[in-house]
C-alpha cells in the first residue's frame, strides 16, 4: 500500500514537473512573440540609438561571429570611469583574499558563492540593492554599452545581472559547471560583457567561445538553444563537432569581451592564478518573465537623470 502510494506520488510529481516546464516554455514564447518583447521591439524601433564607428564595429563582429573584443578605454574613453572601477575592484580583491585567508584558518565564510559554482566568489551574487552610485551598475546602463546591447538585440533590453567575480584556481580538479562547454539558459536574445580586471593568460582560466554557435549562426543546430533545453552536452562530443574552432580570450587587464552566450562558451578553469572580472548580462523582457531573475534591485530615487532606455533596462 505504502509502496504504491509512493509510486503514485512520484508519478504526480513527474507530471507536475512536466506541466510546469511546459508552462514556463509557453510563457517565454508568448512574451517573446506577442507580449513583453513586442513592446520592447517597438520602443527600440521608434528610437534606434545613433552609434559611432567603434560601436558599429562591435556590432558587425557580434553579428558575424557572436563575439567582439576591444580595450574598455576604446569604448569608454573617460579615464575617470576606469579609475573608479579599478579602485573598487582592488577593494573587492583585498576583502576577498582577507576572507579566504580567514577561511583557510577554519573560520566560517562571509563570501558570496553559489552552490555548484563554489570556485567563483561574487561581489553581489543575489538580492543586492544597487543605486546609481554603484560604478558597476552604471557601466551596465552606460549608453556606450547599452546602445550596443539594444541594437544587437533589436529591442530595449533589461540589465539582468551585474557582478564582479574572483575565480579561484581550481588546482587539478576536473572542469565543472560553467568551466564546461554550455549555452546559457537565460534567453535566445542574450548579450554578456566580461571586463578583465587582471591580465588573463592560460593559467588564469580564460573565457572561451565557439564562433557561430549562437542562435542564427552556422553552428546553431549543435544541441540548439531552447527554453529549458539541453545546455551542457558531453564535452568530448561537442569538441568533436567544433573541431578546434573555438577562440580563447587570453588578454590583458582592461579587455572588454562582448559575447552572445546563448552560443557555446566556457571559462574560469583557472589552474595557477585567480581571475578577476566584471560581468553584465542584457536580455529581453521575456527572459525576466519566464526564465531568469535579476540579481539586484535598483534603488535610486526617480530624481536620478536617466534616459528612457536606461530606466527600462533597470526596471
Ligand atoms: O567564467 C567564465 O569564463 C565563463 C562564464 C560563463 O559561463 C557565463 O557567464 O555564462
Amino acid at each position: 500500500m505504502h509502496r504504491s502510494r509512493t509510486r503514485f506520488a512520484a508519478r504526480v510529481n513527474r507530471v507536475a514537473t512536466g506541466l510546469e516546464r511546459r508552462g514556463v516554455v509557453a510563457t517565454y514564447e508568448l512574451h517573446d512573440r506577442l507580449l513583453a518583447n513586442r513592446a520592447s521591439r517597438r520602443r527600440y524601433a521608434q528610437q534606434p540609438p545613433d552609434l559611432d564607428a567603434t560601436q558599429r564595429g562591435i556590432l558587425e563582429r557580434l553579428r558575424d561571429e557572436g563575439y567582439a573584443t576591444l580595450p574598455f578605454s576604446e569604448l569608454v574613453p573617460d579615464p575617470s570611469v576606469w579609475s573608479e572601477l579599478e579602485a573598487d575592484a582592488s577593494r573587492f580583491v583585498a576583502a576577498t583574499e582577507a576572507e579566504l585567508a580567514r577561511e583557510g584558518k577554519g573560520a566560517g565564510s562571509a563570501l558570496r558563492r553559489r552552490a555548484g559554482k563554489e570556485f567563483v566568489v561574487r561581489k553581489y551574487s543575489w538580492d543586492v540593492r544597487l543605486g546609481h552610485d554603484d560604478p558597476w551598475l552604471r557601466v551596465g546602463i552606460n549608453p556606450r554599452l547599452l546602445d550596443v546591447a539594444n541594437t544587437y538585440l533589436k529591442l530595449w533590453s533589461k540589465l539582468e545581472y551585474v557582478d564582479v567575480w574572483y575565480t579561484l584556481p581550481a588546482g587539478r580538479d576536473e572542469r565543472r559547471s560553467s568551466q564546461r562547454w554550455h549555452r546559457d539558459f537565460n534567453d535566445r536574445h542574450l548579450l554578456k560583457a566580461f571586463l578583465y580586471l587582471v591580465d588573463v593568460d592560460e593559467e588564469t582560466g580564460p573565457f572561451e567561445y565557439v564562433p557561430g554557435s549562437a542562435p542564427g549562426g552556422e553552428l546553431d543546430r549543435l544541441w540548439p538553444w531552447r527554453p529549458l533545453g539541453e545546455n551542457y552536452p558531453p564535452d568530448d562530443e561537442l569538441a568533436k563537432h567544433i573541431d578546434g574552432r573555438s577562440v580563447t580570450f587570453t588578454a590583458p587587464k582592461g579587455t572588454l569581451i562582448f559575447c552572445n552566450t546563448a552560443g557555446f562558451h566556457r571559462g574560469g578553469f583557472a589552474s595557477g592564478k585567480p581571475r578577476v572580472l566584471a560581468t553584465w548580462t542584457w536580455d529581453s523582457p521575456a527572459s525576466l518573465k519566464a526564465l531568469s531573475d535579476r540579481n539586484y534591485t535598483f534603488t535610486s530615487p526617480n530624481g536620478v537623470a536617466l534616459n528612457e532606455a536606461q530606466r527600462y533596462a533597470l526596471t
Side-chain angles (χ1 to χ4, degrees), residues 165 178 182 184 192 194 207 265-268 275:
W165 293 352
S178 55
H182 65 285
D184 279 343
K192 275 193 179 176
F194 300 98
F207 179 69
H265 63 287
R266 66 180 183 181
R275 190 190 63 178

Side-chain angles (χ1 to χ4, degrees), residues 117 119-120 122 161 165 167 177-180 182-186 190 192-194 196 205-208 232 261 265-269 275 277 279 281:
K117 205 168 159 178
F119 54 89
V120 178
R122 299 167 198 248
Y161 183 72
W165 293 352
T167 303
S177 167
S178 55
Q179 295 168 337
R180 291 179 45 212
H182 65 285
R183 295 184 185 277
D184 279 343
F185 66 90
N186 314 52
L190 184 62
K192 275 193 179 176
F194 300 98
Y196 283 170
F207 179 69
E208 295 176 80
Y232 280 81
T261 54
H265 63 287
R266 66 180 183 181
F269 191 51
R275 190 190 63 178
L277 57 71
T279 181
T281 303

Side-chain angles (χ1 to χ4, degrees), residues 45-106:
Q46 284 166 352
Q47 302 173 57
D50 202 7
L51 305 184
D52 72 2
T54 305
Q55 293 171 306
R56 286 198 303 273
I58 295 169
L59 270 169
E60 208 170 292
R61 285 177 281 154
L62 276 172
R63 290 196 174 130
D64 284 352
E65 305 275 18
Y67 75 91
T69 170
L70 77 170
F72 181 75
S73 58
E74 246 175 57
L75 184 60
V76 183
D78 179 350
S80 70
V81 176
W82 173 250
S83 314
E84 193 182 4
L85 297 179
E86 212 182 12
D88 199 67
S90 299
R91 285 190 289 273
F92 168 64
V93 168
T96 300
E97 290 180 345
E99 195 57 28
L100 287 169
R102 266 171 40 80
E103 261 182 33
K105 293 184 189 138

Side-chain angles (χ1 to χ4, degrees), residues 121-138:
V121 174
R122 299 167 198 248
K123 181 169 165 68
Y124 296 136
S125 195
W126 289 114
D127 292 334
V128 284
R129 296 168 72 76
L130 299 180
H132 194 252
D133 56 341
D134 181 86
W136 308 103
L137 178 120
R138 279 208 308 281

Side-chain angles (χ1 to χ4, degrees), residues 6-301:
T6 310
R7 264 199 231 131
F8 178 69
R11 222 173 94 214
V12 168
N13 208 7
R14 247 193 337 268
V15 171
T17 307
L19 285 175
E20 194 185 348
R21 287 177 68 86
R22 266 184 271 164
V24 170
V25 172
T27 306
Y28 174 76
E29 296 295 358
L30 190 66
H31 277 287
D32 187 18
R33 284 156 209 226
L34 291 175
L35 302 176
N37 284 3
R38 199 174 190 185
S40 96
R41 286 190 184 103
R42 198 177 327 115
R43 284 170 186 260
Y44 167 77
Q46 284 166 352
Q47 302 173 57
D50 202 7
L51 305 184
D52 72 2
T54 305
Q55 293 171 306
R56 286 198 303 273
I58 295 169
L59 270 169
E60 208 170 292
R61 285 177 281 154
L62 276 172
R63 290 196 174 130
D64 284 352
E65 305 275 18
Y67 75 91
T69 170
L70 77 170
F72 181 75
S73 58
E74 246 175 57
L75 184 60
V76 183
D78 179 350
S80 70
V81 176
W82 173 250
S83 314
E84 193 182 4
L85 297 179
E86 212 182 12
D88 199 67
S90 299
R91 285 190 289 273
F92 168 64
V93 168
T96 300
E97 290 180 345
E99 195 57 28
L100 287 169
R102 266 171 40 80
E103 261 182 33
K105 293 184 189 138
S109 179
L111 297 174
R112 291 170 194 241
R113 292 182 170 113
R114 290 189 185 175
K117 205 168 159 178
E118 289 81 358
F119 54 89
V120 178
V121 174
R122 299 167 198 248
K123 181 169 165 68
Y124 296 136
S125 195
W126 289 114
D127 292 334
V128 284
R129 296 168 72 76
L130 299 180
H132 194 252
D133 56 341
D134 181 86
W136 308 103
L137 178 120
R138 279 208 308 281
V139 169
I141 53 159
N142 184 322
R144 303 290 299 150
L145 287 85
L146 183 60
D147 288 352
V148 167
N150 289 356
T151 309
Y152 176 64
L153 300 173
K154 299 194 181 101
L155 45 70
W156 274 12
S157 66
K158 297 289 183 183
L159 179 66
E160 183 215 302
Y161 183 72
V162 51
D163 217 338
V164 186
W165 293 352
Y166 181 105
T167 303
L168 293 151
R172 290 150 64 95
D173 283 350
E174 288 202 345
R175 287 179 180 271
R176 19 187 207 126
S177 167
S178 55
Q179 295 168 337
R180 291 179 45 212
W181 290 117
H182 65 285
R183 295 184 185 277
D184 279 343
F185 66 90
N186 314 52
D187 203 343
R188 61 164 70 89
H189 312 286
L190 184 62
L191 186 68
K192 275 193 179 176
F194 300 98
L195 173 61
Y196 283 170
L197 299 166
V198 291
D199 292 337
V200 174
D201 61 14
E202 287 290 352
E203 288 188 357
T204 321
F207 179 69
E208 295 176 80
Y209 189 66
V210 181
S213 61
E218 57 172 314
L219 298 178
D220 73 347
R221 301 236 169 127
L222 285 183
W223 291 273
W225 188 94
R226 303 225 191 286
L228 303 183
E230 169 57 60
N231 293 345
Y232 280 81
D235 253 17
D236 49 342
E237 281 185 43
L238 184 82
K240 258 188 256 156
H241 279 92
I242 62 176
D243 194 22
R245 288 162 74 181
S246 60
V247 182
T248 300
F249 298 89
T250 49
K253 175 177 177 177
T255 299
L256 183 64
I257 303 161
F258 284 102
C259 187
N260 181 340
T261 54
F264 280 110
H265 63 287
R266 66 180 183 181
F269 191 51
S271 56
K273 292 176 268 185
R275 190 190 63 178
V276 187
L277 57 71
T279 181
W280 296 266
T281 303
W282 299 271
D283 50 25
S284 75
S287 170
L288 290 178
K289 297 280 183 195
L291 298 177
S292 70
D293 284 315
R294 275 207 181 81
N295 74 319
Y296 66 91
T297 307
F298 178 60
T299 57
S300 283

